[in-house]
Amino acid sequence: MTDIPGYDTIRWDNDQVVLIDQRRLPEEEIYLSCTDYREVVDAIRTLAIRGAPAIGVAAAMAAALGALRFPHTDIDGFRRHFRDVCQVIGTARPTAVNLTWALERMMSLVAANVHPDSSALKTRLVAEAKAILQEDIAINRQIGVLGQELIHDGDTVLTHCNAGGLATGGYGTAVGVIRAAWEAGKKIHVLVDETRPILQGARLTAWEMMKLGIPHTLITDNAAAALMANGKVNVIVVGADRIAANGDAANKIGTYGVAVVAQYHRIPFYVAAPRSTFDFTLSDGSQIPIEERDPEEVTHIRGRRIAPEGCRALNLAFDVTPHGLISGIITEKSVCRPPLPQSVSALRQA
Ligand code: MRU
């Protein structure tokens, strides 16, 4: 559940993966039902489902779907089939590490299996995918509990992209923090960056704010710096797609610029993310793979060309905010405070 009454980001339903089609929001609230894991992969690639934790849940459910489609019971054949399925799912999107994290969790069950028949393992894989969804919702709520302490009554909070219920199993990371502050009775106002080129802020975060009844104002990405300069922003909370061992954090393109301006104006800049978004194998953010998407997402808006015919465009989907610009990383375990290389290392041991 997104925890917004009447909406699920993603659910497992009668051996189908059902997800709200985020490409169609906010105009239409339509669900896609996937019976084949390749349909889920396509949904991830085309942003029908997006946001790092939601991609992780979708990957796990895609793997479970793939497992169910194996028509035999022999375990060696199943292992080969499942490895191939996970390989395909693993290529869906490169930056959000939650995808790899979820697949590794599913593959570890297969590796640990001792039964000669794959039937019980298939059931176990479906249960694991469902558990990943439920755990993600609980984790987000806990991020909210810890993070809302950083938001004060009367604050104006700026957020970039969509790190809400739609980007997770439910409740949200950055939006979860905002939401928990609102639910705690704090009178806050949210500035929602529209987030070019796909407009996750305008289409999705604003949609969530409307559903939740949280006061908000949609702004162009270009307006964020001026509003910070004018003293209109008290605190910033964003999500992350992958966080390196030193605390450098990849998030939606434009996040880095927000963080630079925030530091210039001494505005606290927080990242909210579950532990599954940390990639402790990478020493710093320069090693995070940055997705480059179709230039048409820049030259066109909703299928309509806005740039001249033949105009070249570069479409970097993410950027990396160096840890020195981050005031804290809010996780379900604790808030990592600067110096982040040390506090993230402590989180790893926890
Ligand atoms: O390209 P997207 O829409 O998948 O990018 C999403 C983001 O950048 C989110 O901020 C991030 O995944 C955190 S989601 C809780």
Side-chain angles (χ1 to χ4, degrees), residues 22-325:
Q22 300 189 29
R23 297 166 301 189
R24 316 273 286 261
L25 288 172
E27 292 97 330
E28 295 173 297
E29 293 166 12
I30 288 178
Y31 286 85
L32 289 179
S33 293
C34 306
T35 50
D36 187 290
Y37 73 95
R38 283 164 290 217
E39 293 174 281
V40 183
V41 170
D42 192 55
I44 296 172
R45 273 206 185 107
T46 59
L47 311 188
I49 185 155
R50 29 66 51 205
I55 290 171
V57 174
M61 289 194 174
L65 264 191
L68 289 187
R69 296 299 167 263
F70 185 68
H72 317 289
T73 53
D74 92 279
I75 195 68
D76 290 333
F78 178 80
R79 279 184 205 282
R80 282 193 298 276
H81 164 82
F82 194 71
R83 190 197 53 215
D84 292 349
V85 163
C86 288
Q87 223 156 41
V88 174
I89 301 168
T91 63
R93 287 191 79 189
T95 303
V97 74
N98 307 63
L99 185 147
T100 321
W101 170 87
L103 289 178
E104 278 170 3
R105 186 161 153 179
M106 298 294 277
M107 285 189 293
S108 69
L109 284 186
V110 176
N113 173 70
V114 287
H115 298 288
D117 174 327
S118 68
S119 311
L121 184 54
K122 288 178 190 170
T123 310
R124 182 82 182 76
L125 286 164
V126 172
E128 189 73 359
K130 288 188 193 168
I132 287 175
L133 169 62
Q134 292 311 321
E135 283 169 26
D136 187 59
I137 299 169
I139 284 168
N140 289 326
R141 285 189 170 275
Q142 185 56 21
I143 288 174
V145 168
L146 297 181
Q148 66 87 20
E149 305 266 339
L150 305 166
I151 313 279
H152 304 111
D153 194 28
D155 272 356
T156 295
V157 190
L158 184 139
T159 191
H160 190 72
C161 193
N162 171 262
L166 289 166
T168 61
Y171 203 76
T173 56
V175 168
V177 168
I178 290 168
R179 188 175 166 179
W182 175 250
E183 286 165 358
K186 295 176 190 173
K187 289 187 180 45
I188 55 171
H189 192 93
V190 181
L191 292 175
V192 179
D193 277 1
E194 62 173 351
T195 320
R196 276 278 289 152
I198 300 292
L199 303 174
Q200 288 94 332
R203 296 188 303 105
L204 307 177
T205 303
W207 182 81
E208 291 196 28
M209 291 293 124
M210 300 287 298
K211 295 272 181 210
L212 292 165
I214 301 178
H216 62 284
T217 304
L218 177 65
I219 59 168
T220 62
D221 300 331
N222 309 332
L227 288 164
M228 284 190 241
N230 294 341
K232 304 284 191 217
V233 180
N234 302 107
V235 57
I236 295 156
V237 193
V238 299
D241 284 80
R242 193 184 295 229
I243 303 173
N246 70 344
D248 293 353
N251 191 46
K252 180 52 57 192
I253 192 78
T255 304
Y256 171 49
V258 170
V260 169
V261 180
Q263 186 165 80
Y264 184 79
H265 293 291
R266 303 193 199 309
I267 298 167
F269 176 94
Y270 294 106
V271 173
R275 209 173 174 282
S276 54
T277 299
F278 286 77
D279 185 345
F280 298 110
T281 69
L282 305 184
S283 56
D284 65 65
S286 67
Q287 297 157 34
I288 298 176
I290 299 295
E291 178 180 16
E292 203 176 313
R293 293 185 63 83
D294 189 342
E296 235 188 73
E297 291 179 351
V298 178
T299 56
H300 291 61
I301 292 183
R302 299 218 136 171
R304 186 165 164 265
R305 172 175 284 286
I306 53 160
E309 194 83 46
C311 170
R312 286 171 63 159
L314 175 65
N315 188 8
L316 296 177
F318 300 97
D319 58 28
V320 175
T321 299
H323 62 86
L325 298 177

